[in-house]
């Protein structure tokens, strides 16, 4: 089947079904092996399994394109800290802890980057001159609240 520009579904047997403006459809496919770029762009979204989008990709992109722009040299420092603790702490959370709301590693990482990003700002006295001394404090705060903040009480102490 093909979904054209006019929200018309064209079936293999030649039948055409016009979708009303009030209707939306979701397609789930096994792969995109036979899909054209036009078909993919019309559908608007491609879902990737979490295994294909590790936490490192989001963290590295944010560190290099957001934080490095704000504080020169910060991307390497932030990624160094994350690489030291994230794999072990996420494995611990998945194995030893229970979450109030089920999450994926990438969601936790995105929450971490957003919280840390919101704290590393002039309104919290973080400047280009003092970011290196302020980073560890805000890093630990953000990490505990995003990675550990969703844990149920008992394992939270271990974390």
């Amino acid at each position: 089947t093909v979904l054209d520009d006019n929200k018309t579904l064209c079936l293999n047997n030649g039948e055409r079904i016009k979708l009303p403006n009030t209707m939306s459809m979701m397609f789930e496919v096994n792969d995109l092996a036979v899909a054209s770029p036009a078909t993919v762009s019309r559908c608007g979204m491609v879902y990737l399994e979490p295994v294909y989008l590790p936490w490192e990709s989001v963290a590295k992109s944010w560190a290099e394109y957001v934080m490095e722009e704000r504080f020169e040299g910060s991307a390497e420092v932030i990624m160094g800290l994350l690489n030291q603790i994230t794999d072990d702490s996420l494995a611990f959370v998945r194995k030893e802890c229970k979450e109030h709301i089920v999450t994926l590693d990438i969601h936790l990482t995105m929450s971490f980057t957003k919280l840390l990003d919101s704290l590393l700002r002039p309104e919290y006295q973080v400047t280009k001159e003092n970011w290196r001394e302020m980073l560890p404090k805000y890093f630990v705060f953000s990490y505990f609240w995003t990675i550990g903040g969703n844990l149920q009480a008992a394992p939270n102490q271990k974390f």
Side-chain angles (χ1 to χ4, degrees), residues 28-44:
E28 184 174 341
V29 296
N30 189 35
D31 60 42
L32 297 174
V34 295
S36 70
T39 301
V40 173
S41 68
R42 286 184 190 114
C43 291

Side-chain angles (χ1 to χ4, degrees), residues 11-26:
L11 304 177
N12 286 342
N13 64 3
E15 186 178 352
R16 298 168 54 92
I17 302 170
K18 176 76 173 145
L19 302 178
N21 289 335
T22 57
M23 182 178 180
S24 295
M25 291 189 77
M26 181 184 296

Side-chain angles (χ1 to χ4, degrees), residues 18-72:
K18 176 76 173 145
L19 302 178
N21 289 335
T22 57
M23 182 178 180
S24 295
M25 291 189 77
M26 181 184 296
F27 297 91
E28 184 174 341
V29 296
N30 189 35
D31 60 42
L32 297 174
V34 295
S36 70
T39 301
V40 173
S41 68
R42 286 184 190 114
C43 291
M45 183 187 311
V46 175
Y47 174 77
L48 295 174
E49 291 289 329
V51 70
Y52 298 116
L53 194 60
W55 69 264
E56 293 97 335
S57 59
V58 169
K60 185 176 180 186
S61 176
W62 168 77
E64 289 178 356
Y65 295 106
V66 177
M67 296 313 297
E68 188 66 26
E69 186 78 20
R70 199 177 305 159
F71 306 114
E72 189 176 332

Side-chain angles (χ1 to χ4, degrees), residues 85-101:
I85 62 172
T86 303
D87 284 329
D88 291 339
S89 61
L90 288 174
F92 176 81
V93 166
R94 300 294 173 229
K95 188 175 181 182
E96 302 291 331
C97 303
K98 291 186 180 178
E99 296 176 295
H100 289 288
I101 299 169

Side-chain angles (χ1 to χ4, degrees), residues 71-121:
F71 306 114
E72 189 176 332
S74 64
E76 187 176 332
V77 175
I78 291 170
M79 286 309 296
L81 292 169
L82 285 171
N83 286 329
Q84 285 178 355
I85 62 172
T86 303
D87 284 329
D88 291 339
S89 61
L90 288 174
F92 176 81
V93 166
R94 300 294 173 229
K95 188 175 181 182
E96 302 291 331
C97 303
K98 291 186 180 178
E99 296 176 295
H100 289 288
I101 299 169
V102 177
T103 61
L104 296 173
D105 294 351
I106 195 141
H107 297 142
L108 294 174
T109 305
M110 289 174 68
S111 294
F112 166 78
T113 60
K114 288 177 183 178
L115 181 56
L116 184 58
D117 186 288
S118 72
L119 294 172
L120 294 176
R121 302 212 174 245

